[in-house]
Amino acid sequence: AVVSTQSTGEIEKYWDLMFYSDEDKQLFTPYYSENIGEGLLSEHEKKLECLIQEYNNYENLYQTIKTRNAMWQRYEEMECKEGDPNRFDNRGGKLLKEEKERKKIARDLPKCEECIVREISTWEQDTGRIFTVYGHKFSDYLNHQKEELQLRKDQMKENKQKAKEEAMQNE
């Protein structure tokens, strides 16, 4: 049972590194089996070997997506802070540093995404499968993130406008 737990932990690790969705994970039914035995252990080991091999073959793709996601997360944070008047409390050139970082991300993010698209094309040709990130084609994944950010920004803008209107009514 210890070896089985160890292999399931390793499988989970590679699923996370390779951006598997819950639906993708559920396709490997032996993972959820309660019948611990040699057959199950063997299936886990085979699955783990396949995951490790695929990850090692395309590690650059997975690492580039991870880097892109970190860049995107930072971009989202800066976009959400954009309307915050407190960011103008300019101690130590913080605003200038933030603006430099924003420009760097605005320049690097599209380059990173283009690189990922090229690597995905290679991956798809090599494997004969469609590459997904958390169950979505990469282009759909990007569009979803951009739409979510826009909705969040619109909601913040709307909340700010409501607060302003309420303040004017209270005067």
Side-chain angles (χ1 to χ4, degrees):
V2 174
V3 176
S4 181
T5 305
Q6 193 174 16
S7 66
T8 57
E10 284 290 301
I11 288 171
E12 284 179 20
K13 174 185 150 190
Y14 280 94
W15 278 345
D16 291 343
L17 287 171
M18 297 165 72
F19 310 103
Y20 270 59
S21 69
D22 289 338
E23 292 80 19
D24 293 332
K25 294 173 185 177
Q26 289 172 357
L27 293 175
F28 182 58
T29 55
Y31 181 80
Y32 302 97
S33 177
E34 299 288 325
N35 304 326
I36 298 172
E38 282 300 313
L40 183 67
L41 183 59
S42 173
E43 287 184 64
H44 279 219
E45 287 172 353
K46 285 179 192 172
K47 180 66 173 180
L48 184 57
E49 283 176 32
C50 289
L51 289 170
I52 290 170
Q53 183 176 3
E54 184 174 315
Y55 181 80
N56 289 338
N57 288 344
Y58 301 100
E59 184 174 3
N60 191 49
L61 170 61
Y62 297 116
Q63 289 298 322
T64 307
I65 292 172
K66 183 178 175 184
T67 300
R68 184 252 168 228
N69 285 346
M71 246 190 287
W72 176 257
Q73 187 175 5
R74 183 63 185 132
Y75 177 75
E76 278 184 313
E77 290 169 6
M78 289 189 297
E79 285 293 303
C80 290
K81 276 199 237 172
E82 192 175 48
D84 183 7
N86 294 331
R87 73 185 254 259
F88 294 112
D89 296 342
N90 195 10
R91 299 259 174 186
K94 185 177 170 186
L95 191 59
L96 181 62
K97 290 175 187 171
E98 189 178 293
E99 210 43 49
K100 281 183 178 181
E101 184 179 9
R102 180 188 304 277
K103 285 180 182 177
K104 182 180 181 340
I105 290 174
R107 181 186 67 237
D108 293 347
L109 195 59
K111 288 179 184 177
C112 187
E113 290 170 356
E114 286 174 23
C115 178
I116 291 169
V117 168
R118 284 192 305 274
E119 289 187 43
I120 286 173
S121 178
T122 302
W123 185 95
E124 289 179 341
Q125 287 173 355
D126 291 351
T127 63
R129 300 187 329 246
I130 294 175
F131 185 87
T132 61
V133 177
Y134 303 121
H136 304 283
K137 285 179 62 175
F138 186 69
S139 59
D140 295 341
Y141 173 73
L142 294 183
N143 290 335
H144 179 72
Q145 283 187 324
K146 291 172 185 175
E147 288 168 5
E148 264 188 10
L149 176 60
Q150 190 58 50
L151 286 173
R152 199 171 320 128
K153 286 171 63 176
D154 290 346
Q155 185 67 40
M156 287 170 53
K157 192 175 186 180
E158 194 175 299
N159 290 345
K160 194 174 180 180
Q161 186 65 34
K162 282 181 185 176
K164 194 175 186 181
E165 288 172 6
E166 286 177 13
M168 292 184 79
Q169 285 178 353
N170 292 337
E171 285 182 8

